[in-house]
Amino acid sequence: MVEVTVTPQSSLADRPVQVQVRGLSPSQLVTLRASLTDEHGECFQARAFFHADGAGEVDPGRHAALGGSYAGVWPMGLFWFLQPDTLFRRLVKRDVAGSPFLVRLEVFDGVRLVTGPQDQPLASCEAERWYVGPGMQRVPIREGRVRGALFLPP
């Protein structure tokens, strides 16, 4: 049974995570895809193609991506190379304290340049990427023409 995991499942957005796929056939060609929908409903995606190792595993931190959104060994490549489906959109988090970005990770058999609703992943999981740690207090700043926010630790 194929399984994709991200460790830790919930983390701050600037912290590295480890993505692993297990249960593949040795040398199986797969597509790993990361996707998220921002607060405006815009979709962002990244994908990379990998050959599973002799144990039937894929680890972007150890195995080189053969192509897709990037090539080579990039442990966080699926997160760093997220691109908008709609041109000229930017990935911006507005509600930094109230909710995380939910990044969906999926693994597909073979090379998938485009995936549609009929394409079923072999496995999937979700990662929470928070922008503010637990207990952080946000204080709005308004002084003259200056606008901002002060984040105070617990």
Side-chain angles (χ1 to χ4, degrees):
M1 182 167 152
V2 178
E3 176 186 37
V4 60
T5 59
V6 58
T7 308
Q9 186 269 331
S10 181
S11 65
L12 291 174
D14 63 345
R15 300 284 190 239
V17 294
Q18 183 179 20
V19 177
Q20 287 187 315
V21 181
R22 293 185 180 95
L24 300 168
S25 301
S27 299
Q28 182 176 352
L29 183 62
V30 295
T31 300
L32 243 113
R33 180 179 77 166
S35 62
L36 70 82
T37 303
D38 73 2
E39 295 153 331
H40 296 291
E42 294 293 333
C43 187
F44 293 78
Q45 297 184 55
R47 68 187 70 239
F49 316 125
F50 294 91
H51 272 294
D53 64 13
E57 297 181 355
V58 169
D59 180 347
R62 293 186 300 124
H63 303 116
L66 306 172
S69 301
Y70 66 96
V73 178
W74 291 78
M76 294 292 295
L78 290 169
F79 294 86
W80 292 340
F81 290 95
L82 288 166
Q83 294 294 316
D85 285 355
T86 305
L87 291 177
F88 308 114
R89 301 292 182 184
R90 293 185 319 153
L91 183 58
V92 177
K93 182 73 171 133
R94 301 280 181 213
D95 179 18
V96 295
S99 64
F101 271 142
L102 296 176
V103 181
R104 182 167 181 79
L105 297 161
E106 298 170 304
V107 59
F108 295 91
D109 187 32
V111 172
R112 301 290 173 103
L113 297 173
V114 178
T115 49
Q118 74 281 3
D119 295 313
Q120 293 299 313
L122 299 173
S124 65
C125 71
E126 276 193 342
E128 292 181 352
R129 303 294 282 170
W130 290 89
Y131 281 76
V132 175
M136 191 70 71
Q137 179 185 1
R138 182 181 188 274
V139 179
I141 305 295
R142 294 178 66 95
E143 188 68 37
R145 295 187 315 174
V146 175
R147 301 290 182 265
L150 172 65
F151 291 89
L152 298 171

